[in-house]
Amino acid sequence: MWLIKGWRFIMSYLKIKVEGTYTEKFVNLAVIRGVGFWNLKKNRTEATLELPVKNLKRLRPIARQTGCRIKILEKQGLLVWWKRGRKRKGFVLGALFFLVSLYVATSFVWFVQAAGNEELTEEEVVELAAEAGLRPGMYKGHLEVDKIEGRIARMHEDIVWAALRIRGTTVEVEIVEHKKVKEEVPPRGVKADLVASRDGYIVEVLELEGEAEVEPGDTVSPGDILIRGERTTKIHDDPEEAPEKERVFPRGKVEARVWYDFRAPVQEREKLREFTGRKESAYYIAWKGERRLLRGPEESPFSNYQKEVNRGDWELGGREIPLDIITVQYREVETETRRLSREEAEEKAKRKARRKASRELSEETEVRDYRWERIKEDGKSYIMFVIETIEDIAEIRYYSDNN
Amino acid sequence: MNHKQKGPRWKELMADFFELPREVLLNLPRLTMLGNQQVLLENHRGIIYYDSEEIRLGIRGGELIITGRDLQVQKIMEEEIYITGRIEHLYFEE
């Protein structure tokens, strides 16, 4: 709707009054001749209607034909303003000047920014861009985006790819830097194997360097050699003779199914601590660590309590003030033992075990499966949360020549 | 006269046979209403009478009469009339 209204406004419209006995006839005749109207209103012998400015001329003969009189009530719209504006040259010129200067101002590059830089600083990237031909103050139309992008990427060896993104008057230089892969360079002459870091069931072995000692389906324990740091250089024809080998630095990945268990005791008795609501406060004044009771009890008036100490630790201009007021609050606590049903106790233990698991496992751990187990040990029962994951269990182990 | 009456019937058959929209072939008005608030009439033959309580519109072979309150002709063009207001009755007269 606003589109139509906007167009109407741009093309400008008139509000006219038609007086006569047969205003309908006037309207119909005009419509037949292609003059449409909006917002027709009528009372007795006069009707007001709106129409595009350009159609006014065509109405005169129709009015004469139907015996109606036309009176213009108001003119509205951009075209009308434009015509009026001819009389107010200063204003129109000012408005025009503003629009033109705004347009001109936005067709230049005002700012250059960097994005995607990690090792390089913003200044370095902006400087590079300047060398490549992108400077603030340039006319946007003269920007050879493709060429500048290529130049930036070629100029610096750490930049793999560059792209310019024009956002209004800001040009963003997005770059992708060379990722320097930090490869573990083995110390020369050192002998090493990849061994299992924990118990697991091998699922996949990927040897990059060295010889795999295990294959999928094997079960390993911590310390078992997974990939031996050796390479066969020669196999003799005589099967009795051991093949010749040389030491290499082993590299690879050994994925294994690994189980973690988290146990929590099932306690059918639960100790609850609750505040009774009774409390007592004591106030001390302290000067350089020595304190003196101002008011309140010296010791806790309750046998079961929780103590809370509040220090002022005042500072003045970054320096500690030796004077302090210490508040000690004693809150009475009541402990109550509650008997839980078997299910409740197990549920609680499960929650505990789960919390333990989420605390100890890293967030990236890919959980494949999990199960709950009930176990008994020394007459106590536990709930065990067993989580199965798949992870790389290979771990480097160096050893000296003697072994 | 005879010929004139024959025409539409033949056209009606054609429209049915070829599944063509009737308003095109038969010059029938097409009415679109939005509840009791808006009426869009396409293919009209002018306004016969209008005020805020009654609007009579010319259509092929008769009139379409709309009565109600606060009726207003929002737009009238060669092909369509757009009326808003609170429409109470709408009927055809031969």
Side-chain angles (χ1 to χ4, degrees), chain B residues 81-93:
Chain B
I81 297 179
Y82 179 57
I83 289 159
T84 59
R86 283 168 155 262
I87 295 143
E88 282 163 6
H89 301 281
L90 186 142
Y91 51 97
F92 294 91
E93 239 177 47

Side-chain angles (χ1 to χ4, degrees), chain A residues 12-19 26 47-60 63 69-76 80 84:
Chain A
S12 300
Y13 63 94
L14 286 174
K15 202 168 182 179
I16 59 165
K17 191 161 85 174
V18 184
E19 289 172 317
F26 168 82
T48 59
L49 20 101
E50 289 169 19
L51 71 152
V53 166
K54 58 172 187 185
N55 286 344
L56 185 66
K57 268 184 250 159
R58 297 157 71 180
L59 287 183
R60 301 271 178 211
R69 272 185 295 146
I70 304 171
K71 213 174 151 189
I72 295 164
L73 295 179
E74 56 179 272
K75 287 181 181 177
Q76 208 60 260
V80 176
R84 262 185 224 157

Side-chain angles (χ1 to χ4, degrees), chain A residues 140 142-150 163-166:
Chain A
K140 274 200 278 189
H142 288 162
L143 220 57
E144 293 163 305
V145 176
D146 293 344
K147 281 189 187 169
I148 293 171
E149 283 172 352
L164 300 188
R165 208 168 290 143
I166 301 167

Side-chain angles (χ1 to χ4, degrees), chain A residues 24 28 31-32 34 36-42 47, chain B residues 44 46-50 72-78:
Chain A
E24 283 88 356
N28 286 334
V31 168
I32 290 166
F37 299 107
W38 302 298
N39 290 332
L40 290 81
K41 279 176 199 143
K42 204 180 98 167
Chain B
H44 67 89
I47 300 182
I48 293 159
Y49 174 81
Y50 75 101
Q72 208 197 339
V73 181
Q74 283 283 351
K75 189 166 110 180
I76 173 162
M77 297 288 155
E78 226 174 325

